[in-house]
Amino acid sequence: MISQKLQDAIAGVSDKVDVVIAYQQGFDKLHATPCFMTTPEEIKNVIWNPLCVHNLTSYLPSLKKKKVAVLAKGCDSRTILQFIQEGLINRENVTIIGIPCSGVISVNKILQAINHEPVEDVSFDEKGNITVKTSKGEKTFSLQDVCPDKCKTCRFPTPIVYDVLVGDPIESNKTYDDAYADIKEFENKPIEERLKYWEGEFDRCIRCYACRNACPMCVCQDSCIAETRDPHWISQRATLSEKFMFHMIHALHLAGRCVECGECERVCPMNIPVNKLKRKINLDMKELYNYEPGVTPEDKPPMYTFNVDEVTIKEHKI
Amino acid sequence: MPEIASQELRVVGFLCNWCSYGGADTAGVSRFKQPTDLRIIRVPCSGRVDPLFVVKALLNGADGVLVSGCHPRDCHYSDGNFYARRRLEMLKKLLPFLGIEEKRFHYTWVSASEGARWQQTVTDFTKRIHELGPLHAKKEVTP
Amino acid sequence: MAETGFIQKEKLNDFIKELSKDAVVYAPCLEGDTVLFKAFDADKTVCLDRPANNPPKLAIFPQSETLFNFTYIKDTEDPKKMSVEIKANTEFPKAVIFGSRPCDANGFLIYDRVYIDTNTPDPYYMGRREKTTIVTLCCNAPSPGCFCVAVGGGPANNEGSDVLITELEKGYFVEAVTEKGKAVLNAPQVESGASYADEAHKKQLESEKLVKNPFGKDCQPEISMSLFDSDEFWEKYLSKCLSCGACTYLCPTCYCFNITDEQMLNNGERIRSWDGCMFPHFTLEGSGHNPRPTKFKRFRNRVGHKFVYYPEKYNGVIACCGCGRCIRYCPVSVDISEVVSYLRGSQPDVSSGTKENAVTDTVKQEQK
Ligand code: SF4
Ligand code: SF4
Ligand code: SF4
Ligand code: SF4
Ligand code: FES
């Protein structure tokens, strides 16, 4: 069992670190929850299954001074590379336990499919199907149907960077274009429709800032300009323009930095597609500056640098 | 904000202190005729222009935003406009994704001596905004 | 006036429309897969299948409201002199909250003690509260995370509601709880309900049994203050918390607010908006010092407020109605009911602990 291998791998590194960040069972069978382990006795609580959705590497910058071992799926490993590019972690303090991942599950998609009934039991079979039991009976879903959209076009199922790898590497046959097909499609909608779409989505926002706080690259956190009075970017009014502005702050501060882990979108209690704007910017970053966040440690984020002659930028005429 | 009488629209201009603001001044001193829709905000350098300035202006009542700095290689702080160019280009591509016409935003380079070029830029840009019409026709605008 | 009534399933929408004729009706409306309390209109689809993502608190305690507008006026005689003109609005429209759950209605009672039953009642809260009729739908079954029975509530509890509705096979059994509620029964869609009363009450009792009680039999979880005060306990359990505002903003019993002035040149408004103890700015002092600098200190306050400080002040009443929203929507599945059950033990043994262990530990302790 992969859980056993994982527990062994953790046991192997745990005496070299202050804390191990992994997953354990959450409040019901459908939810895993992050756990911070400081003693070997806790290792037996560790679980690994497609419900382990959280990007645990998000906690790393706040633990910069500690020695940390962290579990990382393929997509999560991009976060670590981006941290390295931006000098947000000390690589030598981090032990990465990589896990090749064949896709996780969107809890929201399951909940929608079972009409938000309380879950009694969850099981997985060899083929990667998930069976969910509620008081109304059992339902089985194939992973493809209930995974988050990011997994459908995942190009990095095997961590790009790791110290220990648990399980065999997995290859992906997905291309860059597959990953952005939905963005291109949205771009082709009439402009009025696009505005209406965003207004409708942002209107639901309650500015709980879960999206921001869950984002590994949102490192300002406590000093975020969405909340400060000085500078006073936005007020406490619950109006559409203030909500819109908050999302622009989030998107633009992530320009060329978003590793597309999808945490922002996963955590939103109002189901707002928070990641879409950042993915659009990423698409442009690739076109303009041939840059993709979190794929090599040596790259420089495009907004941190420039070329004197930008061949891809044409001068705009009025 | 009080209703502006006449057919004027709100165009906000972020001008760098060393070149474009000087350029606008030159145009004024030379008494070149210019549209009056533009409200100028002087910034130390185009590198000071956070793309969020532009977004904030557009979301809170502006119908168009113009950013102007020194020509590339002429920035008073040598690199400011190079950074600005990258950011503003990114923004230009993002606006239409949000449903805001990218034509409502323009960035350019005007030096302190180019009074005529400045006059042309303001005139053309204001004309373009008038063609697009107001951005906030029906929407609430919070001050 | 009738005390009970019955509404056929197919007439429910007309009933809501009827209510909206002379009141703003806040009802749980479907948007994509999200259920949100919103001001109802004919374009919206009411969804009663499950509790809404957000509680109905916004109807009486809006996320942001203008307390008053102010204008500075220059004295024409003496330009150095300024006077300020203040305009406050304390007139509120008649409103109905339709489809709140018993826990949601209970939540308003928790607000009432703070905003009304004091010697300085809050005119904004009180104004809206008095104008609002709360029509609550009993729960057939709990949602993931629900634990209302553990904090003195229940899926058919009528405290805080003006009307209680029970879903039956063919329609909805309606009971007036207060005088205000009786008026609702006058709607033309409501027929006589007497013959459905037994069926409804049986159903209410059944649903009661389905809700989990993480605190065991005693509805007053005895919190061990030594554990509550130990930083290690919180640090250990709360390291995963993101310190966002999802739990407080979605909580029907969180009532903290912020007051800010938004000023233009010489006019502006003072607004009151939701705030929450999970935000760092909540306790940030002018000097830059923050007495609750870490997320676990903030969460300790959240638990403390609900399970220690509020009960101390108000005769043991717990300021949590067990709606489970903070559990369901927490990005990292922090479970407040689990934290509180840990807190009942005297050993900070969260490391190897599951909820059951923590409970048995307490039992063992008691047996000794
Ligand atoms: S998580 Fe969702 S509701 Fe909360 S601030 Fe982000 S977008 Fe808004
Ligand atoms: S913006 Fe969203 S997808 Fe991008 S890094 Fe942050 S949480 Fe991940
Ligand atoms: S407990 Fe959960 S919802 Fe509350 S602040 Fe922490 S992460 Fe956010
Ligand atoms: S603390 Fe959580 S369970 Fe209790 S009332 Fe608030 S949201 Fe509901
Ligand atoms: S000073 Fe003009 S662009 Fe930098």
Side-chain angles (χ1 to χ4, degrees):
Chain A
M1 262 308 275
I2 188 91
S3 290
Q4 189 55 48
K5 274 197 205 157
L6 178 60
Q7 290 182 4
D8 293 346
I10 295 173
V13 300
S14 66
D15 56 333
K16 293 186 222 79
V17 297
D18 302 322
V19 58
V20 181
I21 315 177
Y23 303 96
Q24 69 181 35
Q25 194 58 56
F27 71 92
D28 71 3
K29 289 281 165 55
L30 200 53
H31 291 81
T33 185
C35 62
F36 287 65
M37 299 182 291
T38 45
T39 59
E41 293 78 65
E42 297 164 79
I43 297 176
K44 64 177 190 304
N45 295 338
V46 168
I47 60 162
W48 170 255
N49 63 41
L51 291 166
C52 297
V53 289
H54 321 71
N55 180 355
L56 300 178
T57 64
S58 304
Y59 295 108
L60 292 176
S62 62
L63 297 168
K64 201 175 176 184
K65 294 201 187 81
K66 289 202 170 161
K67 288 204 173 299
V68 185
V70 67
L71 303 200
K73 304 183 281 289
C75 54
D76 304 339
S77 71
R78 289 182 66 184
T79 312
I80 298 179
L81 289 173
Q82 193 65 19
F83 285 154
I84 297 171
Q85 284 184 28
E86 300 188 19
L88 292 167
I89 57 168
N90 297 321
R91 176 66 180 91
E92 61 281 7
N93 282 350
V94 181
T95 307
I96 307 164
I97 305 174
I99 311 181
C101 164
S102 42
V104 290
I105 280 169
S106 156
V107 173
N108 280 342
K109 284 187 184 171
I110 297 269
L111 284 173
Q112 185 166 13
I114 61 169
N115 212 8
H116 298 263
E117 293 282 338
V119 168
E120 288 170 359
D121 203 9
V122 170
S123 57
F124 302 93
D125 67 15
E126 295 302 306
K127 285 183 234 113
N129 299 328
I130 171 174
T131 302
V132 183
K133 188 167 166 243
T134 69
S135 64
K136 301 266 152 64
E138 279 189 2
K139 270 192 182 173
T140 300
F141 306 94
S142 91
L143 198 65
Q144 267 302 306
D145 295 334
V146 290
C147 66
D149 295 344
K150 68 168 180 177
C151 297
K152 288 189 188 155
T153 55
C154 175
R155 288 169 296 143
F156 307 97
T158 306
I160 313 176
V161 56
Y162 56 82
D163 298 303
V164 188
L165 192 68
V166 181
D168 302 324
I170 299 173
E171 298 271 326
S172 160
N173 56 5
K174 295 289 185 286
T175 63
Y176 184 88
D177 289 338
D178 293 338
Y180 294 92
D182 59 324
I183 301 289
K184 294 237 159 93
E185 192 189 311
F186 186 78
E187 282 180 325
N188 288 329
K189 297 201 161 141
I191 191 153
E192 304 78 33
E193 208 175 298
R194 278 176 257 158
L195 182 63
K196 226 173 136 217
Y197 172 84
W198 288 115
E199 289 182 339
E201 295 294 329
F202 292 154
D203 192 42
R204 286 202 301 280
C205 177
I206 53 170
R207 274 162 74 191
C208 66
Y209 302 129
C211 52
R212 177 195 72 190
N213 288 22
C215 173
M217 302 316 298
C218 270
V219 282
C220 307
Q221 301 268 336
D222 290 8
S223 2
C224 175
I225 58 162
E227 284 177 278
T228 52
R229 290 289 292 179
D230 183 17
H232 189 34
W233 277 92
I234 41 179
S235 75
Q236 289 295 101
R237 288 185 185 94
T239 55
L240 181 59
S241 61
E242 304 297 72
K243 296 172 187 182
F244 211 120
M245 192 62 201
F246 162 62
H247 284 278
M248 296 313 294
I249 293 175
H250 194 359
L252 288 169
H253 283 182
L254 265 292
R257 304 176 60 234
C258 167
V259 290
E260 304 191 10
C261 63
E263 282 292 85
C264 48
E265 206 158 297
R266 179 186 69 80
V267 303
C268 175
M270 298 289 130
N271 299 326
I272 298 169
V274 194
N275 194 198
K276 202 164 174 168
L277 288 179
K278 290 126 196 165
R279 291 178 52 241
K280 154 69 180 160
I281 300 179
N282 273 354
L283 188 62
D284 295 336
M285 291 298 111
K286 179 82 177 169
E287 250 164 48
L288 285 170
Y289 313 120
N290 193 25
Y291 175 86
E292 209 181 335
V295 288
T296 67
E298 300 82 24
D299 270 359
K300 203 157 189 197
M303 295 295 137
Y304 290 24
T305 179
F306 61 85
N307 293 321
V308 172
D309 296 303
E310 300 277 10
V311 282
T312 50
I313 303 181
K314 305 263 167 310
E315 206 176 324
H316 298 278
K317 299 269 177 295
I318 302 177
Chain B
M1 208 172 270
E3 264 312 304
I4 297 163
S6 86
Q7 296 292 54
E8 239 176 42
L9 292 176
R10 278 181 215 159
V11 179
V12 176
F14 293 98
L15 275 53
C16 102
N17 178 46
W18 300 98
C19 292
S20 297
Y21 196 81
D25 200 32
T26 309
V29 170
S30 324
R31 304 200 175 254
F32 292 158
K33 202 165 173 296
Q34 299 169 48
T36 53
D37 307 49
L38 183 75
R39 316 293 137 91
I40 295 178
I41 298 173
R42 177 159 63 153
V43 288
C45 166
S46 65
R48 174 66 183 93
V49 181
D50 186 328
L52 286 168
F53 290 180
V54 179
V55 175
K56 177 85 182 163
L58 288 173
L59 287 180
N60 285 50
D63 303 298
V65 178
L66 177 64
V67 175
S68 188
C70 315
H71 287 275
R73 294 176 214 266
D74 274 351
C75 172
H76 187 78
Y77 307 99
S78 72
D79 297 341
N81 52 6
F82 290 140
Y83 286 106
R85 185 168 58 186
R86 285 205 152 196
R87 293 174 196 151
L88 297 173
E89 187 63 24
M90 178 265 298
L91 180 67
K92 213 159 162 58
K93 291 195 174 279
L94 179 64
L95 288 177
F97 197 75
L98 296 161
I100 300 173
E101 295 97 340
E102 55 103 5
K103 287 185 163 178
R104 292 192 183 273
F105 165 56
H106 181 64
Y107 71 94
T108 188
W109 323 115
V110 173
S111 80
S113 58
E114 294 174 320
R117 182 179 156 96
W118 177 253
Q119 178 201 30
Q120 198 60 46
T121 302
V122 181
T123 312
D124 294 350
F125 187 66
T126 310
K127 188 162 159 266
R128 188 160 96 184
I129 298 303
H130 276 268
E131 279 161 16
L132 290 166
L135 176 59
H136 296 273
K138 290 178 278 324
K139 266 189 298 160
E140 61 158 338
V141 175
T142 28
Chain C
M1 263 190 268
E3 308 270 331
T4 65
F6 185 79
I7 304 170
Q8 313 258 349
K9 283 224 160 136
E10 54 280 8
K11 286 196 186 154
L12 189 75
N13 225 34
D14 290 337
F15 173 67
I16 301 173
K17 277 188 197 146
E18 180 74 26
L19 295 178
S20 64
K21 275 186 186 155
D22 71 334
V24 186
V25 177
Y26 293 89
C29 302
L30 199 60
E31 273 193 29
D33 193 40
T34 321
V35 183
L36 290 177
F37 271 99
K38 288 219 151 172
F40 171 83
D41 60 48
D43 307 335
K44 298 203 169 85
T45 316
V46 172
C47 172
L48 300 175
D49 300 348
R50 56 187 151 108
N53 291 47
N54 64 346
K57 70 170 166 183
L58 78 174
I60 298 179
F61 178 46
Q63 175 154 18
S64 155
E65 66 183 321
T66 303
L67 299 181
F68 55 78
N69 295 289
F70 54 86
T71 315
Y72 288 101
I73 299 157
K74 260 197 197 131
D75 193 326
T76 39
E77 307 286 291
D78 179 359
K80 278 197 225 96
K81 258 206 205 144
M82 282 273 210
S83 64
V84 56
E85 193 186 277
I86 289 178
K87 264 197 225 123
N89 174 28
T90 42
E91 284 298 311
F92 303 104
K94 204 177 146 196
V96 174
I97 296 175
F98 179 87
S100 49
R101 299 303 176 118
C103 51
D104 297 337
N106 258 308
F108 288 116
L109 296 179
I110 287 159
Y111 293 170
D112 290 349
R113 292 186 193 91
V114 184
Y115 284 127
I116 298 181
D117 307 336
T118 83
N119 40 19
T120 49
D122 182 274
Y124 301 91
Y125 178 84
M126 198 164 71
R128 286 201 179 83
R129 181 76 162 108
E130 279 166 359
K131 289 271 179 90
T132 306
T133 306
I134 302 177
V135 182
T136 298
L137 176 73
C138 293
C139 300
N140 287 335
S143 285
C146 288
F147 62 103
C148 54
V149 295
V151 285
N157 183 294
N158 66 9
E159 287 164 89
S161 302
D162 297 303
V163 178
L164 199 66
I165 293 188
T166 312
E167 187 186 354
L168 302 176
E169 213 171 301
K170 295 207 180 61
Y172 299 89
F173 177 68
V174 193
E175 295 164 85
V177 181
T178 62
E179 278 307 310
K180 218 198 241 171
K182 283 186 186 164
V184 170
L185 271 66
N186 291 336
Q189 292 80 8
V190 183
E191 50 193 78
S192 156
S195 57
Y196 296 95
D198 287 347
E199 190 190 345
H201 292 140
K202 200 168 139 235
K203 200 151 180 210
Q204 293 176 358
L205 283 177
E206 271 166 23
S207 58
E208 182 102 20
K209 288 183 217 133
L210 300 172
V211 186
K212 71 163 179 183
N213 183 343
F215 308 150
K217 268 196 255 11
D218 52 332
C219 278
Q220 296 290 326
E222 270 303 311
I223 291 202
S224 143
M225 287 314 282
S226 63
L227 258 187
F228 183 80
D229 289 335
S230 111
D231 282 2
E232 294 73 40
F233 171 86
W234 295 101
E235 194 164 4
K236 172 83 207 164
Y237 196 79
L238 257 286
S239 295
K240 63 184 174 187
C241 169
L242 306 172
S243 202
C244 66
C247 49
T248 52
Y249 278 11
L250 296 175
C251 175
T253 65
C254 274
Y255 53 74
C256 290
F257 59 80
N258 189 9
I259 289 187
T260 46
D261 282 358
E262 296 304 331
Q263 194 177 339
M264 300 284 292
L265 226 43
N266 45 27
N267 65 333
E269 55 184 16
R270 176 160 297 178
I271 50 185
R272 169 161 79 184
S273 53
W274 294 350
D275 202 345
C277 54
M278 296 311 300
F279 293 120
H281 290 87
F282 188 71
T283 43
L284 183 64
E285 293 170 6
S287 65
H289 171 67
N290 196 336
R292 284 185 214 137
T294 54
K295 51 193 179 183
F296 75 80
K297 292 213 160 115
R298 294 172 205 146
F299 196 82
R300 166 158 59 196
N301 181 74
R302 177 164 155 78
V303 172
H305 185 188
K306 292 186 186 303
F307 289 87
V308 183
Y309 319 140
Y310 191 100
E312 259 168 28
K313 199 160 174 208
Y314 298 106
N315 286 323
V317 179
I318 295 172
C320 160
C321 59
C323 73
R325 285 191 180 87
C326 59
I327 305 172
R328 283 199 285 285
Y329 301 111
C330 173
V332 292
S333 300
V334 171
D335 179 347
I336 193 169
S337 72
E338 189 179 19
V339 176
V340 172
S341 42
Y342 286 152
L343 280 171
R344 300 158 74 225
S346 50
Q347 296 297 309
D349 182 25
V350 285
S351 52
S352 63
T354 61
K355 201 180 320 182
E356 285 73 25
N357 288 353
V359 176
T360 37
D361 283 348
T362 336
V363 176
K364 274 184 212 141
Q365 207 75 29
E366 280 160 10
Q367 282 165 350
K368 273 182 212 158

